[in-house]
Amino acid sequence: MELPIGRSGGAPSPREEEEEEEEEEEKNGGYKDRLSQLPDEILALILSYFGLKEAARTSVLSKRWRGKWSFTNRPDFLTYVPGAKNCIMLADKRHQYAKWINYVLKLHKSPILEEYKVYFVFHNQWESDIDEWLKSALAKGVQILKLDFSWEGCGLLNYGGIGNYALPFNKNPRSSFSDISVGSLKEACFKYVNVNGEALEFLLSNCPLLERLSVSESNVLLNVRVTNPSIVLKYLQIFYCENIQSVEICNVNLVSFMFKGGGTKSNLRLENVPLLVELHVWQAGSRSALADLFAMLPYCSHQLETLGFQDSEHPQDFRGFHTSPEFINLKKLVLAAPAMTDRCFLGYIALLDSCPLLQKFVFEVISSATKIHEREVKKVSETNAKKHQHLEEVEMTGYYGRKCELELVKYFVENAVSLKKIIIRPEGQPNFLYRDAKQFERENAGRVHAKMHLEGKIPKPIELIIF
């Protein structure tokens, strides 16, 4: 984990730089290194687009580059611990990474931070260290803060001490944070970080520049209230907070809201959001959650450009269920549904009839089953089929080659008169951290089925892309 920073850890003197330039020029047959002659600020800017370790390795290029990495304003501590198959190995690797981060922060010299990212398998013994990392970033006026303490995929989910880091902001913050300002934040992303309602309120009230906020896997977040019309928040994501009970968003200028609920249905209230153009809601439970969503949509259906939701019932019943007004400006629709017993998906076409300007349709198949049921391929009757004039792209994730998937692809080929592209993704919704051998096997099978059933059978000029 050592960084190549030279003996002193600092930059060389102007005289040393001049001597080295002369030596390098002589070695290179008179060629002059113009890049190294750029001002320090430009070199630091260039290095800020490298990973932290890659930026540090440039110290070996010449004395001119030595220590320049320490002035980067976007340190990126991506420290996921792969391959930790036992508690001792996980603890050892985590200890090494924590020491490395502490070491780097001592040497870091940039007075300001544009972006600060930490990805670390959390253990409660490192809470005080993480507090120091966070204070260091905030003290330098960090604008983009991303804390990811995911422990999925390490194979040690019951290992004592693994859990969520508790964000130290609320009405009674940890004493060491009482004088720390968060006012520089423009974007904050917290994954496997316990952010409660008080902490959320603290951030919204004390970050006047905060435009993007994402909270994932917080098990202490119960109620979300975003109702202050003076905040500048534009993008809000709340993902998989399993104990969340209610979400209230009213009288704010939110542009995008994405909500993926936990294990139970949450009460969702969305009112007077005149700038909202993107809405994604994934709720657990029966179709009653979907009914609540559609009951709210008349207030904003005319302004939405992107809509995403998940269904859990039989799609054949969807035509009677769907009674919302037309989505007159909707350009992209994302629909997720399970493929239980290879049920026909054509019932969802009723929803597309209400989106006259739809350009992209994404269908996410939710299923881990690998059985393909033998039945006839169904089709929509000509009287019910619509010619989707503006639909140019159809994407299907979780594709496995079931009849219900083939029926949907065939329908769009026949009825989307402007269709240009069909994208097939057998991997479904990917898990960034961990995908086991069975998942890879299923994805490969889906890829084979897609090539077998679709390649050479999609008419030109429609482009078929299979990932």
Side-chain angles (χ1 to χ4, degrees):
M1 290 314 162
E2 295 296 325
L3 297 174
I5 58 173
R7 293 180 181 177
S8 64
S13 68
R15 178 59 185 162
E16 288 176 321
E17 290 180 355
E18 187 178 338
E19 290 175 353
E20 178 150 330
E21 285 176 13
E22 292 174 357
E23 291 174 7
E24 289 296 322
E25 189 173 348
E26 187 177 339
K27 276 189 214 176
N28 296 330
Y31 171 75
K32 201 163 188 177
D33 181 4
R34 301 287 183 187
L35 183 61
S36 294
Q37 293 180 345
L38 292 171
D40 287 353
E41 295 79 8
I42 301 299
L43 295 182
L45 178 62
I46 293 172
L47 291 175
S48 69
Y49 290 94
F50 286 63
L52 189 59
K53 293 180 183 179
E54 288 74 19
R57 290 190 183 108
T58 62
S59 291
V60 303
L61 296 176
S62 69
K63 290 180 182 177
R64 178 76 177 91
W65 288 86
R66 187 177 302 161
K68 290 294 184 290
W69 68 270
S70 63
F71 291 91
T72 59
N73 61 5
R74 303 171 68 182
D76 188 345
F77 298 102
L78 295 181
T79 58
Y80 173 53
V81 185
K85 297 180 179 178
N86 58 64
C87 299
I88 296 175
M89 184 182 295
L90 177 63
D92 181 60
K93 290 192 175 186
R94 185 167 44 219
H95 180 72
Q96 292 177 34
Y97 278 125
K99 284 181 62 178
W100 173 63
I101 294 175
N102 290 333
Y103 175 68
V104 169
L105 290 178
K106 286 180 181 178
L107 299 172
H108 195 263
K109 297 172 184 171
S110 177
I112 59 172
L113 288 180
E114 178 184 338
E115 184 173 4
Y116 185 79
K117 295 191 289 186
V118 175
Y119 185 18
F120 187 76
V121 182
F122 177 76
H123 189 282
N124 52 26
Q125 75 178 93
W126 297 106
E127 182 176 80
S128 60
D129 289 83
I130 296 171
D131 282 354
E132 292 302 315
W133 304 344
L134 183 55
K135 283 193 290 184
S136 173
L138 293 171
K140 294 187 176 185
V142 65
Q143 298 175 26
I144 301 173
L145 177 65
K146 297 182 179 181
L147 302 180
D148 187 342
F149 299 111
S150 303
W151 40 261
E152 296 172 322
C154 68
L156 304 168
L157 304 190
N158 296 319
Y159 178 43
I162 290 181
N164 287 14
Y165 171 70
L167 197 69
F169 304 125
N170 48 49
K171 291 181 180 178
N172 298 299
R174 291 201 279 275
S175 58
S176 59
F177 282 85
S178 58
D179 298 324
I180 298 295
S181 171
V182 295
S184 60
L185 284 176
K186 295 182 179 179
E187 179 178 345
C189 179
F190 304 111
K191 188 172 182 181
Y192 282 87
V193 176
N194 275 346
V195 181
N196 61 20
E198 288 183 359
L200 199 65
E201 184 179 343
F202 176 90
L203 290 170
L204 293 175
S205 301
N206 292 275
C207 301
L209 305 176
L210 189 64
E211 292 190 352
R212 294 177 178 267
L213 177 61
S214 177
V215 179
S216 301
E217 307 283 358
S218 170
N219 52 37
V220 298
L221 186 59
L222 304 180
N223 301 292
V224 175
R225 291 188 75 249
V226 183
T227 58
N228 184 351
S230 65
I231 65 173
V232 299
L233 190 69
K234 303 294 183 187
Y235 305 89
L236 176 63
Q237 295 181 349
I238 306 292
F239 288 167
Y240 305 120
C241 299
E242 61 180 19
N243 296 314
I244 197 164
Q245 298 172 359
S246 66
V247 178
E248 181 182 359
I249 300 175
C250 303
N251 307 315
V252 291
N253 290 320
L254 209 63
V255 173
S256 172
F257 176 53
M258 302 182 73
F259 177 74
K260 295 187 178 182
T264 58
K265 176 186 169 185
S266 306
N267 293 320
L268 181 62
R269 181 188 174 201
L270 201 64
E271 193 173 298
N272 192 23
V273 281
L275 300 184
L276 189 71
V277 295
E278 180 178 24
L279 176 64
H280 295 260
V281 177
W282 275 257
Q283 281 264 48
S286 67
R287 191 167 276 178
S288 64
L290 193 57
D292 292 344
L293 171 64
F294 274 83
M296 289 190 303
L297 287 179
Y299 297 104
C300 58
S301 62
H302 64 285
Q303 66 198 53
L304 288 178
E305 296 179 7
T306 300
L307 172 65
F309 66 91
Q310 176 178 329
D311 192 18
S312 58
E313 302 294 329
H314 200 291
Q316 292 292 68
D317 302 327
F318 197 78
R319 183 177 296 275
F321 169 80
H322 176 57
T323 57
S324 67
E326 283 195 343
F327 297 92
I328 58 176
N329 286 306
L330 200 71
K331 306 296 191 302
K332 179 180 177 180
L333 176 64
V334 182
L335 170 60
M340 297 180 295
T341 64
D342 198 8
R343 61 187 192 170
C344 180
F345 289 138
L346 293 176
Y348 290 121
I349 299 303
L351 176 61
L352 274 65
D353 295 347
S354 299
C355 311
L357 298 181
L358 192 68
Q359 296 176 3
K360 181 173 182 178
F361 177 55
V362 180
F363 193 84
E364 299 180 355
V365 182
I366 304 171
S367 178
S368 58
T370 56
K371 182 179 180 180
I372 296 180
H373 296 264
E374 292 300 327
R375 63 172 176 80
E376 291 185 5
V377 175
K378 300 178 182 178
K379 61 184 300 183
V380 176
S381 66
E382 292 186 9
T383 55
N384 292 327
K386 303 289 184 181
K387 299 300 180 184
H388 306 283
Q389 299 292 332
H390 300 279
L391 188 60
E392 297 181 352
E393 183 175 329
V394 172
E395 178 176 331
M396 185 175 291
T397 67
Y399 185 93
Y400 190 71
R402 304 174 186 86
K403 294 294 189 295
C404 58
E405 296 158 348
L406 291 171
E407 289 163 346
L408 208 53
V409 171
K410 187 175 181 180
Y411 171 83
F412 287 116
V413 168
E414 295 176 350
N415 295 282
V417 295
S418 300
L419 191 62
K420 296 179 180 178
K421 186 183 297 184
I422 297 175
I423 299 173
I424 303 296
R425 297 182 185 273
E427 74 273 15
Q429 297 185 25
N431 185 325
F432 174 68
L433 287 173
Y434 183 67
R435 286 152 72 197
D436 60 22
K438 287 186 177 180
Q439 285 176 295
F440 281 112
E441 184 179 337
R442 180 194 169 282
E443 291 166 12
N444 288 332
R447 199 167 290 112
V448 170
H449 293 158
K451 292 179 179 180
M452 182 188 307
H453 297 149
L454 300 176
E455 277 190 346
K457 300 177 183 178
I458 302 298
K460 299 293 183 181
I462 301 173
E463 179 183 9
L464 175 66
I465 302 174
I466 300 174
F467 284 92

